[in-house]
Amino acid sequence: MSTSSTGCPPWLGPLQPLCNRRMLICVFTGFSSGLPLYLLINLVPAWLKSEGVDLALIGLFSIIQFPYTWKFLWSPLMDRWSVLGMGRRRGWMLLSQLLLMGGIALLGSLVPSDGPSLQLIALLAGAVALFSASQDIVLDAYRREILADDELGLGTAVHVNAYRIAGLVPGALSLILADHLPWPLVFMLTALFMLPGIALTLLVTEPQLARVPQTLRQAVVEPFHEFITRQGWRNALYILGFIFLYKLGDSMATALATPFYLDLGYSKTMIGLVAKNAGLWPCVIGALLGGLWMVRLGINRALWLFGVVQLLTILGFAWLATVPPSPWSLGLVIGAEALGVGLGTAAFTAFIARTTDPRYTATQFALFTSLAAVPRTFFNASTGYLAESLGWVPFFLLCTLLAVPGMLLLFKVAPWQAAPGSEDSPS
C-alpha cells in the first residue's frame, strides 16, 4: 500500500496529521495527566457525598488542589536537575507517576468522617494533587519539546482528548464499581490506571534540548525575564488575565457536577453509565475535530469559536436542574459539556504552548497553567456555599456570566482577524 510523505496511507485524507509517533505519545501524556485530576474533582467528591459529608465541606475540598496553582514555584528545580538517572523529563515523570499510583491506592483505605480521619483524607488528597501537579509540569514540557510549532494545535487536542477520556475512569468506571465493590478496592483499581503512563516513560527517549539551565538562578529568573521582555508589560498582563479568566465559568460549573447529579436523584451507576456513553464520543470526536480544525482555523479563531461553545454548554446544567430526572436529559448535558469543555480546553492549552519559549518550557508552561488553575483551586472552594445559598439554577447562571470576561479579552490576546496559524504577539 502506498503512503504519503508522512508515512500514512493516502486514504486517511485529512486525518493524516494524526498518523505519527508524536501524536501517539500525546495520547499517553493526556491520559496520565487527566486521571489524578479527575479523581480529585469527580471521584473524591462522590465518595465523600456517599459517606454523608456536608456539601459545603465537599466544596472546600477544592482547596487541596492548591499545588496546581503554585507548581511554578518548584518547576525550575525540574528544569535544572534530573532524577533517577533517566534525564530531566523521564526521571521526574517516572517518580511522580509512582508516587501517584501509591497515593491514590492509599487514599481509599481511609474512612470519611467529621474529625481526624477527614483531615487525614484532605492531607493525602493534597499530596496526590502535589504529585499530579509535578507530573503535569514535566509532561507539559516534554510534549512542548517534541512537537513542532505547526503541530501544537493538533498535538494539544490529542492530549486534551486523552485527558478527558482518562476522566471516564474515576468519573464513570469507578463510580459504577463503587455500587458493587468497597471503596478501598475501587481506589486501588483506579490507581492501576497509572500503569500506561509508567509504560510510556520507560519506552520514550529523552528530548534533546538546545539549552539546559546551568544554574538554579538561570532556571528561576530567565524564564520570567524572557516572557516580559518578549511581550512587554501591557501584553504580558493581558495574556495573564486571559489565562486566569478564560475557563473560570466552566471550571466553577463542573466543580460540583457529580454531587449535583446525585442531588437531583441520579444513582452512581446511572451517572457512571451515562458519563461513559454520552461523555465519551462527543469528547473523542469533538477534540479530534477541534484539533484538525485548528490546523485550518489557527489557534486564535479556535479560541473564539470553541469558547462560545464552552460558554453555552454551562447553561445545560441550569436546564437539567429544572427537568425531571431522565437518563436522556443527563446524557444530553454530559455530552454537551464533554464537547464544549473539550474544545475550549484544546484551544486554550494550544495557546499556552504557543506562548512559551522552548528554551524555558517547564517553568513558563507551569507558570501559565498554574494561573489557569487558580479558579479551580480557590474560586471552586466557594461553589458549595454558592450552590446552597443561591440554588442550582442561579448558581449555573452566575457561572455563565463569569465566562464572559475571558471571552472579551480575546480582542487583545487572540484577535479574530489575525491570519490562521499566525504566531504574532498580542496587539
Side-chain angles (χ1 to χ4, degrees):
M1 178 181 293
S2 63
T3 60
S4 68
S5 59
T6 63
C8 302
W11 54 265
L12 282 176
L15 298 179
Q16 284 193 24
L18 290 168
C19 185
N20 68 56
R21 180 174 177 270
R22 292 181 297 280
M23 296 302 155
L24 180 61
I25 289 174
C26 289
V27 172
F28 284 87
T29 63
F31 190 89
S32 296
S33 182
L35 181 74
L37 175 62
Y38 280 106
L39 176 127
L40 293 173
I41 64 178
N42 281 341
L43 187 61
V44 169
W47 175 41
L48 299 177
K49 177 72 174 177
S50 67
E51 295 293 317
V53 178
D54 182 70
L55 183 62
L57 194 57
I58 295 174
L60 284 175
F61 256 74
S62 296
I63 296 176
I64 64 174
Q65 299 174 37
F66 75 92
Y68 292 102
T69 304
W70 296 100
K71 62 185 178 181
F72 67 92
L73 292 178
W74 65 91
S75 61
L77 303 177
M78 304 174 79
D79 246 347
R80 174 67 182 90
W81 286 295
S82 60
V83 294
L84 305 182
M86 298 176 62
R88 294 183 309 144
R89 303 310 183 214
R90 295 175 66 240
W92 286 110
M93 285 161 64
L94 182 61
L95 179 60
S96 59
Q97 288 162 350
L98 290 174
L99 289 172
L100 276 170
M101 189 164 63
I104 293 170
L106 184 59
L107 186 61
S109 66
L110 303 174
V111 180
S113 63
D114 293 328
S117 294
L118 197 58
Q119 295 174 9
L120 186 57
I121 289 172
L123 183 64
L124 185 53
V128 169
L130 174 66
F131 305 148
S132 176
S134 300
Q135 180 193 224
D136 285 353
I137 292 171
V138 68
L139 287 180
D140 287 339
Y142 182 83
R143 191 178 71 256
R144 178 63 179 94
E145 288 162 0
I146 66 170
L147 292 176
D149 287 349
D150 60 357
E151 293 179 322
L152 285 177
L154 183 57
T156 299
V158 171
H159 171 87
V160 171
N161 193 13
Y163 187 99
R164 299 283 296 175
I165 291 174
L168 294 176
V169 175
L173 176 62
S174 298
L175 286 176
I176 296 171
L177 292 176
D179 268 342
H180 307 283
L181 298 174
W183 280 108
L185 184 55
V186 170
F187 275 86
M188 186 169 294
L189 292 173
T190 305
L192 293 177
F193 280 90
M194 288 303 303
L195 288 175
I198 294 173
L200 167 75
T201 301
L202 296 175
L203 292 174
V204 298
T205 57
E206 186 76 3
Q208 299 298 314
L209 300 182
R211 182 183 184 281
V212 177
Q214 298 303 307
T215 65
L216 181 58
R217 183 182 183 279
Q218 243 181 31
V220 172
V221 175
E222 290 193 17
F224 302 97
H225 178 263
E226 187 281 331
F227 173 64
I228 298 299
T229 302
R230 171 163 48 95
Q231 298 292 347
W233 277 103
R234 178 179 295 181
N235 286 338
L237 289 174
Y238 282 140
I239 290 172
L240 295 177
F242 168 74
I243 290 173
F244 179 84
L245 292 169
Y246 186 66
K247 293 192 69 63
L248 173 61
D250 79 80
S251 177
M252 290 183 64
T254 57
L256 293 174
T258 304
F260 167 59
Y261 302 146
L262 292 170
D263 207 35
L264 294 182
Y266 294 99
S267 69
K268 292 189 291 293
T269 296
M270 174 64 72
I271 297 169
L273 287 173
V274 172
K276 175 183 176 182
N277 292 289
L280 177 60
W281 295 113
C283 173
V284 172
I285 296 171
L288 286 180
L289 287 177
L292 293 169
W293 287 339
M294 267 192 278
V295 174
R296 295 178 176 272
L297 289 171
I299 294 174
N300 284 17
R301 294 181 180 180
L303 284 167
W304 283 91
L305 295 175
F306 300 167
V308 169
V309 177
Q310 176 182 268
L311 183 149
L312 292 177
T313 55
I314 299 174
L315 295 173
F317 292 104
W319 170 78
L320 186 65
T322 66
V323 298
S326 162
W328 297 104
S329 54
L330 180 64
L332 179 62
V333 170
I334 288 178
E337 186 268 340
L339 176 65
V341 177
L343 288 173
T345 302
F348 179 62
T349 311
F351 172 84
I352 289 177
R354 187 182 71 182
T355 306
T356 61
D357 186 302
R359 295 172 297 172
Y360 311 104
T361 313
T363 300
Q364 288 187 351
F365 217 122
L367 171 65
F368 299 145
T369 53
S370 292
L371 186 60
V374 169
R376 188 176 68 228
T377 304
F378 294 104
F379 283 78
N380 287 8
S382 66
T383 54
Y385 291 102
L386 287 171
E388 283 193 339
S389 60
L390 297 175
W392 287 116
V393 174
F395 169 71
F396 289 121
L397 293 178
L398 174 63
C399 292
T400 305
L401 288 176
L402 291 174
V404 174
M407 292 295 298
L408 293 177
L409 277 173
L410 286 173
F411 285 105
K412 289 293 185 181
V413 304
W416 175 271
Q417 63 269 24
S422 172
E423 301 291 329
D424 293 342
S425 299
S427 57

